[in-house]
Protein backbone atom coordinates (compact mmCIF):
# COMPACT_ATOMS: atom_id res chain seq x y z
CA UNK A 1 0.00 0.00 0.00
CA UNK A 2 2.87 2.38 0.78
CA UNK A 3 4.57 1.65 -2.54
CA UNK A 4 1.27 2.05 -4.38
CA UNK A 5 0.65 5.39 -2.69
CA UNK A 6 4.18 6.50 -3.55
CA UNK A 7 4.42 5.19 -7.12
CA UNK A 8 1.06 3.90 -8.30
CA UNK A 9 2.82 0.52 -8.59
CA UNK A 10 2.51 -2.86 -6.88
CA UNK A 11 5.96 -4.00 -5.74
CA UNK A 12 6.27 -7.78 -6.10
CA UNK A 13 9.69 -7.68 -4.43
CA UNK A 14 8.29 -6.39 -1.14
CA UNK A 15 8.25 -9.78 0.59
CA UNK A 16 11.77 -10.74 -0.49
CA UNK A 17 13.10 -7.33 0.60
CA UNK A 18 11.50 -7.89 4.01
CA UNK A 19 13.01 -11.37 4.23
CA UNK A 20 16.49 -10.08 3.34
CA UNK A 21 16.25 -7.32 5.96
CA UNK A 22 15.27 -9.96 8.54
CA UNK A 23 18.40 -11.92 7.68
CA UNK A 24 20.41 -8.74 8.29
CA UNK A 25 18.83 -8.46 11.74
CA UNK A 26 19.63 -12.13 12.37
CA UNK A 27 23.28 -11.59 11.36
CA UNK A 28 23.59 -8.56 13.66
CA UNK A 29 22.17 -10.53 16.60
CA UNK A 30 24.47 -13.48 15.82
CA UNK A 31 27.45 -11.09 15.91
CA UNK A 32 26.62 -10.01 19.44
CA UNK A 33 24.18 -7.10 19.17
CA UNK A 34 21.16 -7.20 21.41
CA UNK A 35 17.71 -7.53 19.83
CA UNK A 36 16.85 -3.95 20.78
CA UNK A 37 19.98 -2.60 19.08
CA UNK A 38 19.67 -4.82 16.01
CA UNK A 39 16.01 -3.83 15.44
CA UNK A 40 16.44 -0.05 14.92
CA UNK A 41 19.70 -0.56 13.03
CA UNK A 42 18.01 -3.00 10.64
CA UNK A 43 15.07 -0.65 10.12
CA UNK A 44 17.47 2.19 9.31
CA UNK A 45 19.39 0.01 6.85
CA UNK A 46 16.11 -1.12 5.27
CA UNK A 47 15.01 2.48 4.79
CA UNK A 48 18.32 3.44 3.18
CA UNK A 49 18.19 0.30 1.04
CA UNK A 50 14.68 1.10 -0.18
CA UNK A 51 15.73 4.63 -1.15
CA UNK A 52 18.84 3.28 -2.90
CA UNK A 53 16.81 0.75 -4.91
CA UNK A 54 14.49 3.49 -6.11
CA UNK A 55 17.34 5.81 -7.05
CA UNK A 56 19.54 3.19 -8.73
CA UNK A 57 17.07 0.68 -10.21
CA UNK A 58 13.61 2.24 -10.48
CA UNK A 59 14.43 5.88 -11.24
CA UNK A 60 16.02 5.24 -14.67
CA UNK A 61 12.81 3.55 -15.84
CA UNK A 62 10.17 5.35 -13.75
CA UNK A 63 8.54 6.74 -16.93
CA UNK A 64 8.48 3.30 -18.57
CA UNK A 65 5.22 1.35 -19.05
CA UNK A 66 3.77 -0.25 -15.93
CA UNK A 67 4.54 -3.75 -17.23
CA UNK A 68 8.24 -2.87 -17.39
CA UNK A 69 8.22 -1.78 -13.75
CA UNK A 70 6.33 -4.92 -12.71
CA UNK A 71 8.92 -7.13 -14.43
CA UNK A 72 11.71 -5.21 -12.68
CA UNK A 73 10.14 -5.78 -9.26
CA UNK A 74 9.79 -9.50 -10.08
CA UNK A 75 13.48 -9.50 -11.01
CA UNK A 76 14.33 -7.82 -7.71
CA UNK A 77 12.36 -10.52 -5.87
CA UNK A 78 14.40 -13.25 -7.60
CA UNK A 79 17.63 -11.38 -6.90
CA UNK A 80 16.99 -10.96 -3.16
CA UNK A 81 15.82 -14.55 -2.80
CA UNK A 82 18.93 -15.93 -4.49
CA UNK A 83 21.24 -13.55 -2.66
CA UNK A 84 19.79 -14.56 0.72
CA UNK A 85 20.25 -18.24 -0.13
CA UNK A 86 23.82 -17.62 -1.31
CA UNK A 87 24.84 -15.62 1.77
CA UNK A 88 22.88 -17.37 4.52
CA UNK A 89 21.87 -20.77 3.12
CA UNK A 90 18.42 -22.33 2.87
CA UNK A 91 18.27 -24.12 6.24
CA UNK A 92 15.44 -22.74 8.44
CA UNK A 93 16.68 -20.84 11.49
CA UNK A 94 14.95 -19.83 14.69
CA UNK A 95 14.64 -16.10 15.23
CA UNK A 96 14.30 -14.47 18.66
CA UNK A 97 11.07 -12.78 19.65
CA UNK A 98 10.49 -10.06 22.24
CA UNK A 99 7.12 -11.62 23.05
CA UNK A 100 6.24 -14.69 25.10
CA UNK A 101 4.97 -17.85 23.42
CA UNK A 102 2.48 -18.37 26.26
CA UNK A 103 -1.21 -18.29 25.30
CA UNK A 104 -4.15 -16.34 26.62
CA UNK A 105 -7.80 -17.37 26.55
CA UNK A 106 -10.12 -14.73 25.09
CA UNK A 107 -13.82 -15.68 25.05
CA UNK A 108 -12.90 -19.34 24.70
CA UNK A 109 -10.36 -18.78 21.91
CA UNK A 110 -6.64 -19.07 22.54
CA UNK A 111 -4.22 -16.44 21.29
CA UNK A 112 -0.52 -16.21 22.02
CA UNK A 113 1.22 -13.16 23.41
CA UNK A 114 3.36 -13.39 20.27
CA UNK A 115 0.27 -12.82 18.10
CA UNK A 116 -0.99 -10.05 20.38
CA UNK A 117 2.43 -8.41 20.09
CA UNK A 118 2.29 -8.53 16.29
CA UNK A 119 -1.22 -7.02 16.35
CA UNK A 120 0.03 -4.30 18.71
CA UNK A 121 3.00 -3.48 16.49
CA UNK A 122 0.69 -3.35 13.45
CA UNK A 123 -1.56 -0.91 15.30
CA UNK A 124 1.39 1.34 16.20
CA UNK A 125 2.64 1.32 12.59
CA UNK A 126 -0.86 2.18 11.35
CA UNK A 127 -1.15 5.06 13.83
CA UNK A 128 2.14 6.43 12.50
CA UNK A 129 1.70 5.79 8.77
CA UNK A 130 -1.93 6.77 8.26
CA UNK A 131 -1.57 10.35 9.57
CA UNK A 132 1.72 10.68 7.68
CA UNK A 133 0.04 9.89 4.35
CA UNK A 134 -3.25 11.67 4.99
CA UNK A 135 -2.47 14.66 7.21
CA UNK A 136 1.04 15.90 6.40
CA UNK A 137 2.56 17.89 3.56
CA UNK A 138 5.06 15.10 2.88
CA UNK A 139 2.28 12.52 2.67
CA UNK A 140 0.25 14.70 0.32
CA UNK A 141 3.35 15.27 -1.83
CA UNK A 142 4.05 11.53 -1.97
CA UNK A 143 0.50 10.73 -3.11
CA UNK A 144 0.46 13.60 -5.59
CA UNK A 145 3.82 12.54 -7.05
CA UNK A 146 2.49 9.02 -7.59
CA UNK A 147 -0.84 9.87 -9.14
CA UNK A 148 -0.13 13.12 -11.04
CA UNK A 149 3.64 13.59 -11.36
CA UNK A 150 3.51 16.27 -14.07
CA UNK A 151 1.19 18.56 -12.14
CA UNK A 152 3.22 17.91 -8.97
CA UNK A 153 6.42 19.03 -10.70
CA UNK A 154 4.71 22.25 -11.80
CA UNK A 155 3.78 22.87 -8.16
CA UNK A 156 7.38 22.42 -7.01
CA UNK A 157 7.19 18.86 -5.66
CA UNK A 158 10.45 16.93 -6.04
CA UNK A 159 8.69 13.94 -7.53
CA UNK A 160 11.64 11.56 -7.77
CA UNK A 161 12.63 12.09 -4.15
CA UNK A 162 9.03 11.63 -3.02
CA UNK A 163 9.01 8.28 -4.82
CA UNK A 164 12.30 7.37 -3.14
CA UNK A 165 10.86 8.28 0.26
CA UNK A 166 7.88 6.02 -0.40
CA UNK A 167 10.18 3.11 -1.26
CA UNK A 168 12.23 3.77 1.87
CA UNK A 169 9.18 3.80 4.15
CA UNK A 170 7.76 0.67 2.53
CA UNK A 171 11.09 -1.10 2.93
CA UNK A 172 11.25 -0.09 6.60
CA UNK A 173 7.71 -1.34 7.31
CA UNK A 174 8.46 -4.51 5.35
CA UNK A 175 11.58 -5.15 7.43
CA UNK A 176 9.55 -4.75 10.61
CA UNK A 177 6.94 -7.23 9.32
CA UNK A 178 9.66 -9.76 8.52
CA UNK A 179 11.19 -9.42 11.98
CA UNK A 180 7.77 -9.85 13.60
CA UNK A 181 6.78 -12.95 11.60
CA UNK A 182 10.18 -14.74 11.57
CA UNK A 183 9.80 -16.20 15.11
CA UNK A 184 6.51 -17.81 14.00
CA UNK A 185 7.53 -19.15 10.58
CA UNK A 186 11.28 -19.74 11.06
CA UNK A 187 13.73 -17.68 9.02
CA UNK A 188 14.63 -18.94 5.51
CA UNK A 189 14.76 -17.37 2.03
CA UNK A 190 11.20 -18.40 1.07
CA UNK A 191 9.69 -17.28 4.38
CA UNK A 192 7.67 -14.35 3.01
CA UNK A 193 6.34 -15.87 -0.21
CA UNK A 194 3.07 -17.11 1.30
CA UNK A 195 2.79 -14.04 3.49
CA UNK A 196 3.03 -11.66 0.54
CA UNK A 197 0.17 -13.45 -1.26
CA UNK A 198 -2.04 -12.89 1.78
CA UNK A 199 -0.76 -9.31 1.97
CA UNK A 200 -1.78 -8.58 -1.62
CA UNK A 201 -5.19 -10.09 -0.96
CA UNK A 202 -5.55 -7.99 2.19
CA UNK A 203 -4.51 -4.80 0.40
CA UNK A 204 -6.92 -5.35 -2.49
CA UNK A 205 -9.76 -6.31 -0.14
CA UNK A 206 -9.20 -3.25 2.04
CA UNK A 207 -8.53 -0.82 -0.81
CA UNK A 208 -5.08 -0.69 -2.38
CA UNK A 209 -4.56 2.97 -1.37
CA UNK A 210 -5.63 2.64 2.26
CA UNK A 211 -3.23 1.59 5.06
CA UNK A 212 -6.20 1.25 7.43
CA UNK A 213 -8.03 -0.84 4.85
CA UNK A 214 -4.99 -3.09 4.46
CA UNK A 215 -4.96 -3.83 8.19
CA UNK A 216 -8.71 -4.49 8.26
CA UNK A 217 -8.36 -6.60 5.11
CA UNK A 218 -5.49 -8.53 6.67
CA UNK A 219 -7.51 -9.36 9.78
CA UNK A 220 -10.46 -10.36 7.62
CA UNK A 221 -8.38 -12.65 5.39
CA UNK A 222 -6.56 -14.18 8.37
CA UNK A 223 -9.68 -14.91 10.39
CA UNK A 224 -11.53 -16.26 7.34
CA UNK A 225 -8.68 -18.59 6.35
CA UNK A 226 -8.37 -19.94 9.89
CA UNK A 227 -12.11 -20.50 10.29
CA UNK A 228 -12.33 -22.18 6.88
CA UNK A 229 -9.36 -24.39 7.72
CA UNK A 230 -10.86 -25.40 11.05
CA UNK A 231 -14.52 -25.92 10.12
CA UNK A 232 -14.81 -26.42 6.35
CA UNK A 233 -11.87 -28.22 4.75
CA UNK A 234 -9.53 -29.20 7.57
CA UNK A 235 -5.93 -28.27 8.26
CA UNK A 236 -4.65 -28.92 4.71
CA UNK A 237 -6.11 -25.69 3.32
Amino acid sequence: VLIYNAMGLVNFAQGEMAMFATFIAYALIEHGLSYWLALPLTLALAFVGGVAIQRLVIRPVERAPVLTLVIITLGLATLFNGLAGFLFGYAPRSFPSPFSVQTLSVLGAFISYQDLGVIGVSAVVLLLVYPLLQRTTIGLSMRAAAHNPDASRLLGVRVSWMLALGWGLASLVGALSGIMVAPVLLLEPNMMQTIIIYAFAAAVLGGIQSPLGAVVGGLSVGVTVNLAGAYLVGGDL
Side-chain angles (χ1 to χ4, degrees):
V1 170
L2 281 171
I3 288 285
Y4 192 86
N5 273 293
M7 276 198 72
L9 169 73
V10 173
N11 177 19
F12 289 97
Q14 186 70 46
E16 303 307 286
M17 291 168 63
M19 171 274 298
F20 194 83
T22 308
F23 266 113
I24 292 176
Y26 176 85
L28 292 173
I29 294 171
E30 284 290 292
H31 282 81
L33 262 68
S34 72
Y35 182 95
W36 298 110
L37 285 176
L39 176 62
L41 182 55
T42 300
L43 297 183
L45 290 172
F47 178 85
V48 172
V51 171
I53 288 172
Q54 194 281 331
R55 302 303 289 175
L56 298 175
V57 180
I58 302 299
R59 185 188 179 195
V61 294
E62 64 184 23
R63 295 175 183 267
V66 172
L67 182 60
T68 300
L69 293 167
V70 168
I71 294 300
I72 287 174
T73 65
L74 289 171
L76 284 171
T78 303
L79 174 65
F80 278 111
N81 186 277
L83 191 58
F86 176 75
L87 294 175
F88 303 105
Y90 288 91
R93 305 158 188 250
S94 60
F95 191 90
S97 172
F99 307 112
S100 170
V101 296
Q102 300 296 319
T103 58
L104 178 70
S105 177
V106 180
L107 300 176
F110 289 93
I111 184 169
S112 69
Y113 290 104
Q114 167 76 34
D115 290 336
L116 288 173
V118 172
I119 292 171
V121 170
S122 299
V124 170
V125 170
L126 177 64
L127 290 173
L128 294 174
V129 169
Y130 189 78
L132 172 67
L133 289 177
Q134 302 293 332
R135 303 283 184 238
T136 67
T137 302
I138 289 179
L140 177 61
S141 299
M142 285 172 56
R143 292 186 289 123
H147 298 291
N148 201 331
D150 293 333
S152 298
R153 288 187 180 93
L154 291 174
L155 293 171
V157 175
R158 302 181 67 181
V159 169
S160 190
W161 276 108
M162 288 299 102
L163 301 181
L165 178 60
W167 273 77
L169 286 173
S171 181
L172 184 154
V173 173
L176 184 59
S177 70
I179 291 170
M180 288 295 102
V181 80
V184 179
L185 296 180
L186 296 178
L187 178 59
E188 50 93 15
N190 298 316
M191 172 185 74
M192 294 295 289
Q193 290 184 4
T194 301
I195 296 294
I196 202 67
I197 294 172
Y198 287 125
F200 284 134
V204 171
L205 180 64
I208 193 66
Q209 296 185 42
S210 171
L212 175 61
V215 173
V216 173
L219 289 171
S220 302
V221 170
V223 170
T224 301
V225 167
N226 276 279
L227 290 176
Y231 295 108
L232 297 180
V233 295
D236 293 333
L237 177 63

